Amino acid sequence: IVRYLQTRYNGFSLEDYIEKNFKGMFKRILLYSIQTQLQRNVYSMSIGVKKMKDINGIISILTQYNGGDIKSMMSLYKPGMFEKSLEQQIIKLTSDNSILRSFLIGLLNGNRSQNISTSSTIHDLIEEDTLFLGRLLNQEQWDSMDAAKFVDIFTRCSFQYIKLLSESFQKLATISLIDAFKGSLGAKEDIGYAVNCVLLFVTDKQSFYRKLLKKGMIYGGHKYILFWRVIIDRMDMDLMEILNGYGRYEGGKSDVDKYNLTHFVKVKLCKDDENAAKLLMKICNF
């Protein structure tokens, strides 16, 4: 649509039109929606470090992309977007957490492989890493070599490899890798949240996005940017499946999460920006 308008009306700028004719959250959402997904990610990270001062907003983006995509995002980075480079901002926000800092810098460097190795030794590597993680999770303290290997596994290995590793771990330990890390490191902040994001994205992508939506409703961010990022990124893919999964649990279904979502849209969001709420209700078929 954007390309058609530019061709039909001799360089028509939809961005300028939106800027001049709309305001508030509704304007922000329209501008956000005409960007590419990579542009939206860069914008979300800039909001995370400049306005929210929240490392979790950066974690939830970097943990779901391979190295090539992250390098593409960084190529869109504009020097004036951050007062400091994104790496410097990450270092500042993780000054008291060296493992999380190494983890995020590793992701930012674009080291994650896109494809799993076809080497004949791949099964041996998975077995070795399975045993390593089992040992690591039973230790109260990690030495520098163990921490470095842990970071390498979760920032350099492909998502396919991590999925196979997770399956291997569960066969050996009779507990899922994501639950094992949750019990050891937690899953709400710091390195525990980062690992949880990677494992949940790999093993249950829709649950990953449902949790991000819920987090976006609770913590909001600048004009609810965390919430809207999921809505816009997934609306042409699996948004309805993500929304329909709210409240499901093993053996039944609860209406609490779904009620919270509809209440957020029809009450909280409508109070802040009625047009934005109407747009969301249309997208989500409320």
Side-chain angles (χ1 to χ4, degrees):
I1 293 174
V2 174
R3 285 196 298 269
Y4 169 78
L5 290 171
Q6 288 173 337
T7 303
R8 178 68 176 81
Y9 296 103
N10 190 27
F12 172 83
S13 172
L14 183 56
E15 182 176 349
D16 287 346
Y17 180 83
I18 293 171
E19 285 278 9
K20 293 175 182 177
N21 291 276
F22 300 96
K23 61 183 180 179
M25 189 188 303
F26 187 63
K27 181 182 77 172
R28 286 289 101 204
I29 300 313
L30 292 178
L31 290 172
Y32 194 56
S33 65
I34 64 174
Q35 295 178 321
T36 66
Q37 187 172 16
L38 293 184
Q39 287 173 328
R40 289 195 293 270
N41 287 331
V42 173
Y43 176 74
S44 296
M45 287 192 290
S46 73
I47 294 298
V49 298
K50 288 187 68 175
K51 292 184 179 294
M52 297 167 61
K53 309 296 183 184
D54 180 19
I55 196 66
N56 284 350
I58 298 173
I59 290 172
S60 65
I61 294 174
L62 292 181
T63 50
Q64 67 182 95
Y65 289 97
N66 61 49
D69 288 331
I70 290 176
K71 287 179 179 178
S72 295
M73 276 189 271
M74 291 303 97
S75 71
L76 298 174
Y77 160 78
K78 297 178 182 178
M81 187 173 292
F82 308 103
E83 295 177 2
K84 300 179 179 179
S85 71
L86 185 55
E87 181 173 341
Q88 289 172 324
Q89 293 282 7
I90 288 174
I91 291 172
K92 179 180 179 181
L93 290 171
T94 58
S95 60
D96 60 346
N97 194 323
S98 60
I99 295 181
L100 180 59
R101 181 168 63 249
S102 297
F103 190 98
L104 293 177
I105 297 301
L107 292 175
L108 193 65
N109 289 337
N111 293 327
R112 187 186 301 287
S113 303
Q114 182 171 0
N115 301 308
I116 194 169
S117 171
T118 57
S119 168
S120 59
T121 62
I122 189 67
H123 294 295
D124 292 335
L125 290 173
I126 289 174
E127 182 179 356
E128 177 185 325
D129 287 342
T130 299
L131 294 173
F132 166 75
L133 292 176
R135 176 176 61 81
L136 191 70
L137 287 167
N138 285 318
Q139 295 176 188
E140 291 187 5
Q141 293 185 328
W142 301 355
D143 63 32
S144 58
M145 291 183 63
D146 283 344
K149 183 171 182 176
F150 159 80
V151 168
D152 272 355
I153 289 173
F154 286 98
T155 63
R156 300 178 68 91
C157 294
S158 69
F159 290 127
Q160 186 180 359
Y161 181 91
I162 293 174
K163 184 174 183 179
L164 292 174
L165 178 61
S166 183
E167 292 170 355
S168 172
F169 185 92
Q170 184 156 2
K171 288 179 182 177
L172 180 68
T174 65
I175 183 176
S176 69
L177 186 56
I178 193 169
D179 285 341
F181 269 110
K182 190 183 298 184
S184 177
L185 301 177
K188 293 185 178 180
E189 57 186 1
D190 298 334
I191 191 64
Y193 177 65
V195 176
N196 185 266
C197 280
V198 174
L199 290 172
L200 194 58
F201 179 75
V202 167
T203 59
D204 190 347
K205 192 173 293 185
Q206 290 186 359
S207 288
F208 171 78
Y209 288 115
R210 272 192 291 274
K211 286 182 180 294
L212 283 187
L213 272 180
K214 190 172 182 179
K215 198 176 186 70
M217 286 187 286
I218 296 172
Y219 298 106
H222 181 65
K223 300 185 185 300
Y224 295 103
I225 188 66
L226 301 179
F227 178 84
W228 281 103
R229 182 171 73 83
V230 178
I231 296 293
I232 294 172
D233 282 354
R234 309 308 299 181
M235 66 181 181
D236 291 327
M237 300 182 198
D238 55 356
L239 178 61
M240 296 315 299
E241 287 85 352
I242 291 169
L243 297 178
N244 289 336
Y246 261 113
R248 290 179 186 166
Y249 62 92
E250 187 175 353
K253 185 173 174 65
S254 167
D255 290 329
V256 174
D257 285 332
K258 190 170 184 179
Y259 169 80
N260 288 341
L261 176 62
T262 55
H263 184 270
F264 170 77
V265 176
K266 295 180 178 180
V267 179
K268 175 61 179 173
L269 200 59
C270 193
K271 180 180 179 181
D272 291 345
D273 192 317
E274 185 177 357
N275 288 327
K278 287 179 178 178
L279 176 63
L280 184 58
M281 285 189 279
K282 185 72 174 177
I283 293 172
C284 299
N285 293 328
F286 285 166

